[in-house]
PDB file of all heavy atoms in Angstrom:
ATOM      1  N   ALA A   1      20.318  10.243  14.583  1.00  0.00           N
ATOM      2  CA  ALA A   1      19.715  11.000  13.433  1.00  0.00           C
ATOM      3  C   ALA A   1      19.431  12.324  13.870  1.00  0.00           C
ATOM      4  O   ALA A   1      19.733  13.325  13.043  1.00  0.00           O
ATOM      5  CB  ALA A   1      18.449  10.260  12.990  1.00  0.00           C
ATOM      6  N   LEU A   4      22.708  14.294  13.679  1.00  0.00           N
ATOM      7  CA  LEU A   4      23.042  14.494  12.309  1.00  0.00           C
ATOM      8  C   LEU A   4      22.252  15.558  11.667  1.00  0.00           C
ATOM      9  O   LEU A   4      22.768  16.444  10.854  1.00  0.00           O
ATOM     10  CB  LEU A   4      22.919  13.201  11.510  1.00  0.00           C
ATOM     11  CG  LEU A   4      23.920  12.079  11.952  1.00  0.00           C
ATOM     12  CD1 LEU A   4      23.549  10.801  11.136  1.00  0.00           C
ATOM     13  CD2 LEU A   4      25.301  12.519  11.574  1.00  0.00           C
ATOM     14  N   LEU A  15      20.757   4.151   5.922  1.00  0.00           N
ATOM     15  CA  LEU A  15      19.445   4.093   5.319  1.00  0.00           C
ATOM     16  C   LEU A  15      18.737   2.684   5.434  1.00  0.00           C
ATOM     17  O   LEU A  15      17.644   2.596   4.942  1.00  0.00           O
ATOM     18  CB  LEU A  15      19.647   4.437   3.769  1.00  0.00           C
ATOM     19  CG  LEU A  15      20.075   5.880   3.485  1.00  0.00           C
ATOM     20  CD1 LEU A  15      20.324   6.149   2.055  1.00  0.00           C
ATOM     21  CD2 LEU A  15      19.034   6.878   4.030  1.00  0.00           C
ATOM     22  N   ILE A  47      12.503  14.484  -8.516  1.00  0.00           N
ATOM     23  CA  ILE A  47      12.319  15.256  -7.283  1.00  0.00           C
ATOM     24  C   ILE A  47      13.427  15.162  -6.335  1.00  0.00           C
ATOM     25  O   ILE A  47      13.436  15.721  -5.250  1.00  0.00           O
ATOM     26  CB  ILE A  47      10.982  14.854  -6.559  1.00  0.00           C
ATOM     27  CG1 ILE A  47      10.972  13.363  -6.222  1.00  0.00           C
ATOM     28  CG2 ILE A  47       9.732  15.221  -7.463  1.00  0.00           C
ATOM     29  CD1 ILE A  47       9.728  13.048  -5.302  1.00  0.00           C
ATOM     30  N   PHE A  71       9.591   5.055  -1.923  1.00  0.00           N
ATOM     31  CA  PHE A  71      10.874   5.638  -2.154  1.00  0.00           C
ATOM     32  C   PHE A  71      11.470   6.335  -0.996  1.00  0.00           C
ATOM     33  O   PHE A  71      10.642   6.976  -0.207  1.00  0.00           O
ATOM     34  CB  PHE A  71      10.800   6.659  -3.303  1.00  0.00           C
ATOM     35  CG  PHE A  71      10.519   6.110  -4.711  1.00  0.00           C
ATOM     36  CD1 PHE A  71       9.296   5.971  -5.183  1.00  0.00           C
ATOM     37  CD2 PHE A  71      11.590   5.788  -5.513  1.00  0.00           C
ATOM     38  CE1 PHE A  71       8.942   5.579  -6.428  1.00  0.00           C
ATOM     39  CE2 PHE A  71      11.308   5.341  -6.774  1.00  0.00           C
ATOM     40  CZ  PHE A  71      10.040   5.233  -7.234  1.00  0.00           C
ATOM     41  N   ILE A  82      18.186  15.886   2.658  1.00  0.00           N
ATOM     42  CA  ILE A  82      17.115  15.450   3.622  1.00  0.00           C
ATOM     43  C   ILE A  82      16.447  14.235   3.027  1.00  0.00           C
ATOM     44  O   ILE A  82      15.929  14.373   1.979  1.00  0.00           O
ATOM     45  CB  ILE A  82      16.098  16.699   3.870  1.00  0.00           C
ATOM     46  CG1 ILE A  82      16.821  17.819   4.502  1.00  0.00           C
ATOM     47  CG2 ILE A  82      14.914  16.163   4.721  1.00  0.00           C
ATOM     48  CD1 ILE A  82      15.960  19.104   4.529  1.00  0.00           C
ATOM     49  N   GLU A 116      -6.062 -11.475  -0.683  1.00  0.00           N
ATOM     50  CA  GLU A 116      -7.027 -11.769  -1.725  1.00  0.00           C
ATOM     51  C   GLU A 116      -7.738 -10.518  -2.254  1.00  0.00           C
ATOM     52  O   GLU A 116      -7.934 -10.267  -3.454  1.00  0.00           O
ATOM     53  CB  GLU A 116      -8.112 -12.724  -1.324  1.00  0.00           C
ATOM     54  CG  GLU A 116      -7.625 -14.157  -1.088  1.00  0.00           C
ATOM     55  CD  GLU A 116      -8.671 -15.135  -0.687  1.00  0.00           C
ATOM     56  OE1 GLU A 116      -9.845 -14.984  -1.069  1.00  0.00           O
ATOM     57  OE2 GLU A 116      -8.361 -16.053   0.132  1.00  0.00           O
ATOM     58  N   ALA A 130     -15.056  -5.415 -14.565  1.00  0.00           N
ATOM     59  CA  ALA A 130     -15.916  -6.397 -13.848  1.00  0.00           C
ATOM     60  C   ALA A 130     -15.401  -6.637 -12.457  1.00  0.00           C
ATOM     61  O   ALA A 130     -16.169  -6.607 -11.447  1.00  0.00           O
ATOM     62  CB  ALA A 130     -15.905  -7.759 -14.624  1.00  0.00           C
ATOM     63  N   ASP A 136     -15.266  -2.496  -5.457  1.00  0.00           N
ATOM     64  CA  ASP A 136     -15.568  -1.157  -5.024  1.00  0.00           C
ATOM     65  C   ASP A 136     -16.630  -1.138  -3.933  1.00  0.00           C
ATOM     66  O   ASP A 136     -16.460  -0.442  -2.882  1.00  0.00           O
ATOM     67  CB  ASP A 136     -15.989  -0.241  -6.170  1.00  0.00           C
ATOM     68  CG  ASP A 136     -14.722   0.123  -7.041  1.00  0.00           C
ATOM     69  OD1 ASP A 136     -13.676  -0.065  -6.624  1.00  0.00           O
ATOM     70  OD2 ASP A 136     -14.994   0.648  -8.172  1.00  0.00           O
ATOM     71  N   LYS A 144     -16.595  -0.565   8.189  1.00  0.00           N
ATOM     72  CA  LYS A 144     -17.083  -1.889   8.231  1.00  0.00           C
ATOM     73  C   LYS A 144     -16.027  -2.925   7.798  1.00  0.00           C
ATOM     74  O   LYS A 144     -15.880  -4.021   8.334  1.00  0.00           O
ATOM     75  CB  LYS A 144     -18.321  -2.004   7.330  1.00  0.00           C
ATOM     76  CG  LYS A 144     -19.018  -3.261   7.348  1.00  0.00           C
ATOM     77  CD  LYS A 144     -20.326  -3.244   6.585  1.00  0.00           C
ATOM     78  CE  LYS A 144     -21.105  -4.591   6.681  1.00  0.00           C
ATOM     79  NZ  LYS A 144     -22.380  -4.490   5.913  1.00  0.00           N
ATOM     80  N   LEU A 160     -17.540 -10.672   3.909  1.00  0.00           N
ATOM     81  CA  LEU A 160     -16.805 -11.412   2.844  1.00  0.00           C
ATOM     82  C   LEU A 160     -17.254 -12.763   2.761  1.00  0.00           C
ATOM     83  O   LEU A 160     -17.389 -13.304   1.611  1.00  0.00           O
ATOM     84  CB  LEU A 160     -15.293 -11.272   3.212  1.00  0.00           C
ATOM     85  CG  LEU A 160     -14.690  -9.911   3.237  1.00  0.00           C
ATOM     86  CD1 LEU A 160     -13.237  -9.957   3.625  1.00  0.00           C
ATOM     87  CD2 LEU A 160     -14.934  -9.168   1.931  1.00  0.00           C
ATOM     88  N   ASP A 161     -17.590 -13.482   3.774  1.00  0.00           N
ATOM     89  CA  ASP A 161     -18.069 -14.763   3.743  1.00  0.00           C
ATOM     90  C   ASP A 161     -19.457 -14.809   2.971  1.00  0.00           C
ATOM     91  O   ASP A 161     -19.750 -15.679   2.154  1.00  0.00           O
ATOM     92  CB  ASP A 161     -18.270 -15.484   5.104  1.00  0.00           C
ATOM     93  CG  ASP A 161     -16.927 -15.899   5.701  1.00  0.00           C
ATOM     94  OD1 ASP A 161     -16.019 -16.150   4.938  1.00  0.00           O
ATOM     95  OD2 ASP A 161     -16.750 -15.814   6.887  1.00  0.00           O
ATOM     96  N   LEU A 164     -18.851 -14.357  -0.721  1.00  0.00           N
ATOM     97  CA  LEU A 164     -18.331 -15.616  -1.333  1.00  0.00           C
ATOM     98  C   LEU A 164     -19.479 -16.658  -1.509  1.00  0.00           C
ATOM     99  O   LEU A 164     -19.615 -17.321  -2.507  1.00  0.00           O
ATOM    100  CB  LEU A 164     -17.193 -16.218  -0.538  1.00  0.00           C
ATOM    101  CG  LEU A 164     -15.932 -15.457  -0.528  1.00  0.00           C
ATOM    102  CD1 LEU A 164     -14.938 -16.019   0.474  1.00  0.00           C
ATOM    103  CD2 LEU A 164     -15.278 -15.406  -1.857  1.00  0.00           C
TER     104      LEU A 164
END
Side-chain angles (χ1 to χ4, degrees):
L4 294 173
L15 294 174
I47 61 173
F71 288 93
I82 299 172
E116 288 181 36
D136 287 346
K144 186 173 184 180
L160 298 176
D161 286 330
L164 292 172

